[in-house]
Amino acid sequence: MAEEVWHEARLIPTSGINGAEEQERRATSALLAVLSAVREFGRGFVKPFGGPSGTIECFIEVPFMLGERRLYPDGLIRVSRGARTWTALVEVKTGPNQLAAEQLENYLDIAREHGYDAVITISNEIPAVAGQHPTKVDKRKLKKVSLHHISWSQVLAEAVMQKEFRGVADPDQAWILGELIRYLEHRKSGALEFDDMGEAWVGIRDQVAAGTLRASDKGIAEVVARFDALLRFASLQLGRQLGTEVVPVLSRKEAADPVVRAQALAQTLCDSGELSGAIRIPGTVGQLVVTADLRAGRVVCHVDVDAPKEGRATTRVNWLLRQLKSAPDTTRVEAFVAHARGSQAAELLSTVRENPAALVLDPAKEIRSFRLAVTATLGTKRGRGRGSFIDSVLSAVDGFYGEVLGALRAWAAAPPKLRPVHVEPPELDDSVPAALSSTDYSSQDGTEERHVDPGQSSHRSGLEKAAASEPQVASAFHGDALAVSTTQSGGAEVETVTPVGPAQ
């Protein structure tokens, strides 16, 4: 048999998976085994849920009695550090299977009875807001036990970042973590990507196109939640490629109350047919804003960039152009000036490249910022594949970062330069004592010869007159403190200089 068709042996094989139950059991066992085997990955997994740093032990299908029933949670994680022990039950779903509220409430009761700390759920469900659980349960059961959720997409993203970017100290443990990544990336593992906009998508899409959608219509809440979940999935996917934590942007009110975000998004969808959100990528000049216009059938990604705070208007435009060498010609560039609403000018990048002054309508006005936007065709299909809404949004986000946002750097002012220092002091006028001369920048002493108006010679001080007429007196007074007095003699003022002792 030809070698090119041989299959490499895997630590976690995907062959032999028959049915959802086997798929779920294998995914649970593979994940929990790697959590206990790879120290860095296990520590990073339990830390957000309150788990301490310590020895991790994992078990699957542990039996518990709840009343007269015997229940089997999919897994159990126990972390020990000294005398302290932290324990969590784990419930796993793969493929399109969703978590059940009744099942989770039973596991919360078991955890409370045994003094466990948490219940962790893993599925392909991506909540609209980070930290929010996709399944509603009785809040009274959460008084002593915490409930957490993590999607398979996030598990995969964390595994990739730990192995490729944060690092694993032990080479064998790094190889084991790589085997888990290969398994989760396989289509048979059940760790699916975001692949469905929900059952209500088609109806809501058609109502938007017809202009008949209302905020109270059934299904709009599901579509809005799915769009926010898509933004989170796009963030995880991009962060997995960049090796950093990419997250959707929410205001404080939206983070505290997800209903605020859902209501605002639903109202915008009804009024303008748009769904929008922003993504924060560490180290970039601004937020990546995604706007899906269902009526116009287009998706727009844009970023706002602060302009340099010095230089002429065309100089600021050229600063931006130097960073957009790989950006497509169809990129829209807008310029915003101080004390004005809206943009001053908007042109395609191809036009601005030929004539940077096209963005400068009034050279006297200061350009404060730029907006760069790229538009693409928006898909309409519910699932994945060519012409789908999900793929068109994901492609737009990845393309905009790769061609535009990833190349931009924030402007920074040049550091101030030292002023030149005079090494040799200038020649001094003999009439100025050396102790009174200065070459400092703030000094008003000049080195030029002093000129006195003959008509104003009578206004010279008595000290100057005495020095001019009696050189020996000036010499004798050198280094002494002097007292000057004025008297009237024959209608003229006479100044008398008297030494009073050594100068202090």
Side-chain angles (χ1 to χ4, degrees), residues 115-402:
Y116 295 161
D117 300 274
V119 173
I120 301 173
T121 60
I122 308 172
S123 72
N124 286 307
E125 299 169 81
I126 302 178
V129 179
Q132 182 183 17
H133 201 279
T135 306
K136 294 182 178 181
V137 298
D138 188 348
K139 293 184 179 181
R140 294 175 296 180
K141 298 181 180 294
L142 303 177
K143 292 182 179 180
K144 294 184 178 181
V145 182
S146 58
L147 179 63
H148 307 280
H149 178 76
I150 185 172
S151 66
W152 282 113
S153 296
Q154 189 171 352
V155 171
L156 178 58
E158 291 293 332
V160 171
M161 283 193 285
Q162 186 65 63
K163 181 178 184 298
E164 301 297 334
F165 301 98
R166 299 171 188 158
V168 178
D170 187 282
D172 292 337
Q173 293 183 16
W175 179 80
I176 293 173
L177 184 57
E179 288 295 292
L180 175 65
I181 293 172
R182 292 188 183 94
Y183 176 79
L184 295 179
E185 288 179 337
H186 198 279
R187 57 182 179 82
K188 290 185 178 181
S189 68
L192 302 176
E193 296 183 338
F194 188 88
D195 62 351
D196 192 358
M197 284 300 294
E199 296 180 357
W201 168 254
V202 175
I204 297 297
R205 178 199 64 193
D206 294 342
Q207 285 180 276
V208 170
T212 59
L213 184 65
R214 297 294 178 266
S216 59
D217 287 348
K218 185 178 180 180
I220 190 171
E222 179 186 356
V223 170
V224 165
R226 289 274 179 171
F227 177 76
D228 274 340
L230 175 58
L231 285 183
R232 290 202 65 218
F233 177 75
S235 301
L236 290 171
Q237 182 174 270
L238 189 58
R240 193 169 68 197
Q241 300 176 62
L242 300 177
T244 187
E245 187 177 6
V246 181
V247 296
V249 179
L250 296 174
S251 66
R252 290 184 179 180
K253 289 184 178 180
E254 292 172 344
D257 186 3
V259 176
V260 174
R261 162 74 176 169
Q263 291 177 345
L265 204 57
Q267 191 61 49
T268 304
L269 182 60
C270 296
D271 295 341
S272 60
E274 294 180 347
L275 292 167
S276 63
I279 296 174
R280 181 184 296 111
I281 307 169
T284 55
V285 296
Q287 301 172 0
L288 195 164
V289 182
V290 184
T291 303
D293 191 336
L294 275 64
R295 290 178 183 173
R298 62 181 184 180
V299 55
V300 181
C301 294
H302 80 259
V303 63
D304 292 331
V305 185
D306 290 335
K309 292 181 173 57
E310 59 186 31
R312 297 177 301 173
T314 52
T315 302
R316 303 183 186 195
V317 175
N318 286 324
W319 168 84
L320 180 67
L321 291 176
R322 286 192 294 270
Q323 303 185 67
L324 298 176
K325 296 179 180 179
S326 61
D329 288 339
T330 54
T331 303
R332 187 176 74 253
V333 185
E334 298 180 58
F336 294 81
V337 298
H339 312 299
R341 294 184 178 180
S343 59
Q344 179 194 39
E347 295 287 350
L348 293 181
L349 182 57
S350 57
T351 303
V352 181
R353 281 170 172 162
E354 295 178 359
N355 180 24
L359 288 179
V360 185
L361 300 184
D362 187 352
K365 294 183 178 180
E366 179 186 6
I367 296 180
R368 289 290 183 86
S369 64
F370 300 99
R371 174 170 293 180
L372 305 174
V374 175
T375 303
T377 302
L378 181 65
T380 58
K381 295 181 180 179
R382 165 184 168 179
R384 298 294 298 271
R386 186 176 181 180
S388 72
F389 177 83
I390 297 173
D391 283 347
S392 61
V393 172
L394 294 177
S395 298
V397 171
D398 291 347
F400 184 77
Y401 180 84

Side-chain angles (χ1 to χ4, degrees), residues 7-19 22-24 26-27 30 178-191:
H7 298 285
E8 184 179 357
R10 292 296 185 195
L11 182 65
I12 312 172
T14 55
S15 58
I17 298 178
N18 298 315
E22 170 64 24
Q23 186 184 68
E24 183 179 298
R26 189 174 300 193
E179 288 295 292
L180 175 65
I181 293 172
R182 292 188 183 94
Y183 176 79
L184 295 179
E185 288 179 337
H186 198 279
R187 57 182 179 82
K188 290 185 178 181
S189 68

Side-chain angles (χ1 to χ4, degrees), residues 437-450:
S437 66
S438 174
T439 59
D440 191 31
Y441 297 121
S442 62
S443 173
Q444 300 301 314
D445 296 336
T447 59
E448 68 279 359
E449 182 179 358
R450 295 178 62 186

